[in-house]
Amino acid sequence: MPKNAVREAPARARRVAWLLGPALVAGVAYLDPGNVASNMTAGARYGYLLVWVVVLGNAMAWLIQYLSAKLGVVTGRSLAETLGERMRSPTGRRAYWLQAELVAMATDVAEVIGGAVALWLLFGVPLLWGGVITGGVSVVLLFVQARRGARAFELVIIGLLATITLGFTYGVFLAPPDPAAVVGGLVPRFEGTDSVLLAASILGATIMPHAIYAHSALARDRFAPAAEAGSAAATLGHRRGIATARLLRATRWDVTVALVVAGTVNLAMLLLAATTLAGVPGTDSLEGAHAALGASLGPAVATLFAVGLLASGLASTAVGAYAGAELMDALLRVRVPLLTRRLVTMAPALIVLGLGVDPTLALVLSQVVLSFGIPFALIPLVSLTARADVLGVYRNRAVTTAAGVAAAVLLIGLNGMLLWLVFAGR
């Protein structure tokens, strides 16, 4: 190998490493406590039945997160900013913001409760105070983002992501699943209304609206200065067009790495529950799962599970708050002090904890609420990224748009099926 190539390799690796990050931060949304509750509950109740839902959700998430990042890279604007500019009616912007804010609150329910449960499992902290601590740490992480910049925020979140990965995958190596049963779980099917509810919950936890909003903003913050902003980016100069194309290639790698990590961890959660917790009474709750893991695989696995849950709550609530602040700024065009906003969005979670509602039930139901918020983020995203006046030559190809439409139809159809089954009493 030529000496120049040898010297250039480390520099090239550093450049590639610098480009990675936004998708890993957004990917934390796929590993929040709602995912833990949904996947563990699905595995404990139905074994390998819903493996296909996790795999399908992850595949759809790759496409959706790439489209969101592409919008931020090419235009230099987030999805919320783009929508805010195109919504002429102030009433329409406020209505759109309201539904997004309700979804953000449902997100906080899952993340704050998950952190509170983890603190209770690890240190015996009362749930309400655990929720307050989790929310407080999220404020500190947001101050890091505001004061130290996007890269420092990414590094902190990626560190928590590594902790999450270790916490939720370690047990699978001690209790490996049955390969034939895993393959059987790839066949799409349901077993009654409750399995549909859990499928919607898994998808709501996997493809989260705030991750769609956040990823475009994270990509904008990191890459917009390096790419040509605006819909005519690709026509304004050869060098700038190449820079944008390179950023998009790097973004595809970033999204791929993030979703491989997230998909592996999500699948590991369900497989661990299916292998270890199926048929064990009380294991469809986080507390019961923690106790059963300790009894069957030892205290180290149970402790790592709780540590992963805590890291999940801390990281995901910070990313969710980042997305909420972006939505408010872009749609309402007002800036609210960080602490005030966090108190407002955390209020439902703290009320749930104060009332003594079953934490795992609240987590699973919050993911269903998120599932119903997906179309409001996904449909505009697919539509905008297919438009030449928004992305120029970087607009979606026909097959990409078709895949995005198929994902939206599938998610909306699953939600409709869920409503029909629940209200029909079947």
Side-chain angles (χ1 to χ4, degrees), residues 66-147:
Y66 173 67
L67 294 182
S68 177
K70 181 169 75 167
L71 182 69
V73 168
V74 176
T75 69
R77 301 180 185 88
S78 68
L79 174 59
E81 284 177 317
T82 306
L83 290 172
E85 291 172 358
R86 289 175 171 266
M87 291 182 181
R88 303 295 183 184
S89 167
T91 302
R93 283 200 309 272
R94 293 189 193 104
Y96 189 91
W97 168 80
L98 180 60
Q99 64 80 25
E101 189 67 23
L102 292 174
V103 170
M105 289 183 176
T107 302
D108 251 359
V109 167
E111 294 160 352
V112 172
I113 288 178
V117 170
L119 288 170
W120 175 61
L121 293 174
L122 287 169
F123 308 111
V125 177
L127 288 176
L128 182 58
W129 282 109
V132 172
I133 293 171
T134 302
V137 172
S138 74
V139 172
V140 173
L141 294 178
L142 288 174
F143 273 122
V144 170
Q145 193 273 338
R147 299 291 176 85

Side-chain angles (χ1 to χ4, degrees), residues 5 42 94 199 269-270 284 288 328 372:
R94 293 189 193 104
M269 294 179 203
L270 189 146
D284 55 355
M328 179 172 284
F372 284 100

Side-chain angles (χ1 to χ4, degrees), residues 278-305:
V280 179
T283 54
D284 55 355
S285 70
L286 292 175
E287 309 93 302
H290 175 264
L293 287 173
S296 60
L297 299 179
V301 173
T303 299
L304 283 172
F305 173 83

Side-chain angles (χ1 to χ4, degrees), residues 58-425:
N58 207 63
M60 291 191 295
W62 188 98
L63 172 64
I64 293 164
Q65 292 308 131
Y66 173 67
L67 294 182
S68 177
K70 181 169 75 167
L71 182 69
V73 168
V74 176
T75 69
R77 301 180 185 88
S78 68
L79 174 59
E81 284 177 317
T82 306
L83 290 172
E85 291 172 358
R86 289 175 171 266
M87 291 182 181
R88 303 295 183 184
S89 167
T91 302
R93 283 200 309 272
R94 293 189 193 104
Y96 189 91
W97 168 80
L98 180 60
Q99 64 80 25
E101 189 67 23
L102 292 174
V103 170
M105 289 183 176
T107 302
D108 251 359
V109 167
E111 294 160 352
V112 172
I113 288 178
V117 170
L119 288 170
W120 175 61
L121 293 174
L122 287 169
F123 308 111
V125 177
L127 288 176
L128 182 58
W129 282 109
V132 172
I133 293 171
T134 302
V137 172
S138 74
V139 172
V140 173
L141 294 178
L142 288 174
F143 273 122
V144 170
Q145 193 273 338
R147 299 291 176 85
R148 301 295 299 274
R151 190 56 173 169
F153 182 64
E154 287 173 8
L155 291 174
V156 173
I157 299 299
I158 290 171
L160 291 171
L161 177 62
T163 305
I164 295 167
T165 302
L166 175 63
F168 292 132
T169 59
Y170 179 69
V172 175
F173 293 99
L174 297 183
D178 177 9
V182 175
V183 173
L186 294 173
V187 179
R189 63 194 189 280
F190 296 109
E191 290 182 4
T193 304
D194 194 45
S195 66
V196 179
L197 174 66
L198 277 172
S201 180
I202 291 170
L203 288 176
T206 303
I207 306 171
M208 302 185 74
H210 79 272
I212 299 174
Y213 298 121
H215 202 164
S216 59
L218 290 163
R220 172 205 62 195
D221 292 347
R222 276 289 304 281
F223 300 138
E228 178 65 21
S231 59
T235 65
L236 292 180
H238 183 63
R239 287 184 64 190
R240 286 175 175 175
I242 290 175
T244 301
R246 285 176 176 168
L247 285 175
L248 290 177
R249 285 197 296 271
T251 296
R252 286 192 287 272
W253 278 106
D254 191 23
V255 174
T256 299
V257 171
L259 269 299
V260 166
V261 173
T264 300
V265 177
N266 275 317
L267 189 58
M269 294 179 203
L270 189 146
L271 296 180
L272 179 63
T275 304
T276 309
L277 308 181
V280 179
T283 54
D284 55 355
S285 70
L286 292 175
E287 309 93 302
H290 175 264
L293 287 173
S296 60
L297 299 179
V301 173
T303 299
L304 283 172
F305 173 83
V307 169
L309 181 62
L310 178 59
S312 170
L314 296 177
S316 55
T317 193
V319 175
Y322 171 87
E326 175 69 24
L327 284 162
M328 179 172 284
D329 183 36
L331 296 173
L332 296 188
R333 297 173 184 174
V334 296
R335 287 189 179 274
V336 175
L338 180 61
L339 184 59
T340 301
R341 172 170 175 79
R342 288 304 290 137
L343 290 174
V344 171
T345 55
M346 283 172 52
L350 296 179
I351 290 171
V352 169
L353 290 172
L355 293 176
V357 176
D358 177 57
T360 303
L361 176 62
L363 283 170
V364 173
L365 292 179
S366 73
Q367 302 312 295
V368 177
V369 173
L370 295 180
S371 183
F372 284 100
I374 291 168
F376 292 97
L378 181 53
I379 292 174
L381 176 67
V382 174
S383 175
L384 288 170
T385 53
R387 295 175 65 98
D389 61 331
V390 177
L391 294 186
V393 298
Y394 297 108
R395 69 186 184 277
N396 296 342
R397 297 178 180 178
V399 65
T400 304
T401 300
V405 170
V409 169
L410 178 62
L411 291 166
I412 294 169
L414 182 60
N415 290 331
M417 182 190 302
L418 172 64
L419 282 176
W420 183 79
L421 288 171
V422 169
F423 289 106

